[in-house]
Amino acid sequence: MKKLLLITLGVLTSTFYMMAQSPGWATKAKKSVFSIITYDNDNKIMNTGNGFYIDENGTGVSDYALFKGAKRAVIVDADGKQYPVEYILGANEIYDVVKFRVKADKKTPALPLTRIAPAKGATVYLLPYSTQKQSTLQNGTVEEVTDIEGGDKYYTLRLNTTDKMVSCPVTNTNGEVIGLIQKAASEAGNNSYAIGATFAAGLSLNALSGNDYVLRNIGIKKGLPEKEDQALVYLFMTANSLSKEEYIKLLDEFLTMFPNSSEGYLRRASAYIDHYKDNEHYALAEKDLETAIEKAEKKDDILYNISKIYLLASTPEFTYKDWNGEKALQTIQQAIAINPLPIYIQQEGDIYYALKNYEKAFESYNKVNHSDLVSEISLFSAAKAKQMAGAKEEALALMDSTIAHFGKILTAKAAPYIFQRAQMRADMKMYRPAVADYNEYYKLLGGKVSALFYFSRQQAEMQTRMYQQALDDIEKAVELAPEEPIYLIELTSVYIRFNRLEDAMNAAKKGITLVPENPDFYRMLGYSQIQTGQKEEGKKNLLKAKELGDPNAEMLIDKYCK
């Protein structure tokens, strides 16, 4: 009996000692710690490790090395239940930490964090992952506290740990987390290291996170920045790298986070229209546009953007309800009624221009030109409107004003407008001034010009009898764009004009190889052959040109082949 009593007292003493080593908060706290399993592209297990929740919304932290290269991940909680990691919220490779969101079906048990660093020598506890109802906490002491960026801490601990304990939380005596255990450089020694938990919790995404190589090394979907303006830029930066389904889903998540963002509804509407060509998605877009107006604080700005959507929709193949240029006009005029900003009036002019109401377009552009926001764009728009209305002299005067807007010393920024004035002058048979503009354009761009430029300048040079320059330019145009038939036709014609018949025949033969059904090449080849004594071959090619519908071929046959 005495022996049995001693055994019983021993057991009770042992139990009391274990409980003493496990503070009262430990049983509840351990439910916040979980195991993590990561998988590769072939759905094979890559790594296993630990992590813990830092809020009730399923936000967790762990070590970055565990997630690097992973395509997906799941957590296994203290009850043995699995939940997928939904998306990554931030990562830092230097300190080996990652923050993520778990797709849980209820509020998650979170550990409280503290920003108050324990003093040197203070007791700390390591809280391991466990599925057991009772578990003894391992305790140790703080050896050193080091300041890192942002006022966070890095800890050296007198605590024995193994690789299986990496990313387990370290708490103070109140059960508040001070840090995450990190992988030791060596298993020798009694010290362990922990990165401050607030550092891990403070990880976030920003507008440029889509291009962050650390995040890109994780194949799991990324979340959105927590600030709306940053999230909007992030959407813009990542749009082209996602499939249409992924982008729409990201927009859905954005609107879940920011349900009052009129810009978010506008972007989703645009995505529906751009990525899907059916009335079902146009209807979804229409609903989003209505919500965008409803949510907008500045309704004029939203109306302005919606008018651009309606204008882009005014194409023959787009037939959804009344989405057309007229609706775009009505919408921008609603914006102007609220706030007559010059940018809205410029848009009104663009819509009138698209509707081919050039006089009304000019009126709108002219209002902008008499505002503080007059620019080369508004002046050029007015010039084009006058040109399309048939007022060529007024259009040219406005082009002069457009170029004068750049000042006396022109730069490459003025080059496109110089080119447009050259074309206007050529159209008005002002060929020498046109050539002067083309030369200025060439100079402003340092000679980095296209085949179209050489062809355009050649046309004006021919009219001013600058024949050698014209020949050089059309040869350059063909060199830059050897598969463009119109340039080859012009080159062949110029060779004939200069009586370079061998060159003309070679050029025409290239043209026939390029476009076998083009009658111009057969006509010019036939003519050149006749002029060089190849009458029978020439006649065959003229007959072929006639067969292909060339109206001049028969006249040449009558003149040279009878």
Side-chain angles (χ1 to χ4, degrees), residues 121-409:
T123 299
V124 292
Y125 293 95
L126 173 66
L127 190 60
Y129 167 71
S130 175
T131 58
Q132 304 300 313
K133 290 185 178 180
Q134 297 291 338
S135 61
T136 304
L137 302 192
Q138 185 176 343
N139 62 36
T141 57
V142 176
E143 288 280 294
E144 187 178 352
V145 181
T146 306
D147 290 327
I148 60 173
E149 57 190 86
D152 289 295
K153 310 295 181 183
Y154 193 87
Y155 300 97
T156 301
L157 308 173
R158 191 71 173 177
L159 184 68
N160 286 323
T161 59
T162 67
D163 285 351
K164 292 183 179 180
M165 297 174 183
V166 171
S167 290
C168 285
V170 178
T171 75
N172 59 23
T173 55
N174 295 322
E176 299 166 328
V177 180
I178 66 165
L180 299 75
I181 289 293
Q182 297 215 290
K183 184 178 176 65
S186 170
E187 293 186 5
N190 296 320
N191 286 344
S192 296
Y193 303 91
I195 179 69
T198 53
F199 178 83
L203 293 174
S204 63
L205 302 175
N206 59 44
L208 302 178
S209 290
N211 294 321
D212 186 335
Y213 81 97
V214 173
L215 290 166
R216 289 169 70 90
N217 282 337
I218 302 175
I220 299 168
K221 183 175 64 174
K222 313 306 180 293
L224 286 164
E226 295 176 357
K227 294 182 179 179
E228 183 178 344
D229 58 342
Q230 292 279 308
L232 284 169
V233 178
Y234 180 85
L235 285 171
F236 175 78
M237 297 293 289
T238 57
N240 292 332
S241 63
L242 301 175
S243 68
K244 61 184 180 182
E245 292 82 8
E246 289 172 330
Y247 183 55
I248 294 290
K249 192 170 182 180
L250 193 61
L251 286 164
D252 292 342
E253 291 172 4
F254 174 87
L255 288 169
T256 299
M257 289 178 64
F258 308 104
N260 294 316
S261 173
S262 57
E263 178 69 20
Y265 291 103
L266 184 67
R267 292 199 190 187
R268 190 168 66 179
S270 298
Y272 283 141
I273 295 166
D274 293 342
H275 294 312
Y276 300 94
K277 306 298 181 184
D278 57 70
N279 286 345
E280 178 186 352
H281 286 91
Y282 296 152
L284 291 172
E286 183 177 40
K287 186 176 179 180
D288 272 353
L289 293 179
E290 291 170 355
T291 306
I293 296 172
E294 176 191 329
K295 299 286 186 182
E297 293 182 8
K298 293 180 61 179
K299 297 195 184 301
D300 54 300
D301 182 59
I302 286 295
L303 288 166
Y304 161 68
N305 283 289
I306 291 175
S307 75
K308 290 194 286 188
I309 290 175
Y310 291 149
L311 180 60
L312 290 173
S314 59
T315 58
E317 59 272 14
F318 196 102
T319 57
Y320 183 70
K321 292 188 176 180
D322 60 346
W323 287 20
N324 53 33
E326 292 294 343
K327 189 171 180 66
L329 184 62
Q330 293 168 10
T331 305
I332 195 59
Q333 288 175 342
Q334 288 174 7
I336 292 170
I338 297 170
N339 190 7
L341 293 176
I343 192 172
Y344 300 164
I345 298 170
Q346 175 79 25
Q347 171 74 357
E348 181 187 48
D350 292 343
I351 297 170
Y352 275 128
Y353 191 95
L355 292 171
K356 299 184 179 180
N357 190 336
Y358 302 117
E359 288 297 343
K360 278 288 188 182
F362 173 76
E363 288 178 17
S364 297
Y365 295 141
N366 199 40
K367 289 178 184 176
V368 180
N369 290 337
H370 287 83
S371 75
D372 292 339
L373 289 184
V374 57
S375 67
E376 62 273 9
I377 294 174
S378 62
L379 288 164
F380 174 67
S381 298
K384 291 298 290 183
K386 278 296 183 184
Q387 183 185 34
M388 295 303 293
K392 293 184 178 181
E393 294 290 342
E394 293 178 68
L396 184 58
L398 283 163
M399 279 306 305
D400 291 339
S401 297
T402 303
I403 294 165
H405 191 75
F406 288 96
K408 291 184 179 180
I409 300 176

Side-chain angles (χ1 to χ4, degrees), residues 443-460:
K443 183 179 75 173
L444 290 174
L445 293 185
K448 295 178 181 179
V449 294
S450 67
L452 174 62
F453 164 80
Y454 287 108
F455 175 72
S456 300
R457 188 169 70 173
Q458 180 264 344
Q459 295 286 289

Side-chain angles (χ1 to χ4, degrees), residues 463-474:
Q463 297 298 324
T464 58
R465 301 178 183 274
M466 301 168 70
Y467 294 131
Q468 185 58 54
Q469 293 95 320
L471 177 59
D472 291 343
D473 277 353
I474 194 59

Side-chain angles (χ1 to χ4, degrees), residues 40-58:
D40 63 15
N41 286 325
D42 297 322
N43 207 33
K44 294 179 180 177
I45 293 177
M46 283 180 57
N47 297 300
T48 60
N50 308 292
F52 58 94
Y53 290 120
I54 60 173
D55 66 28
E56 294 182 337
N57 300 317

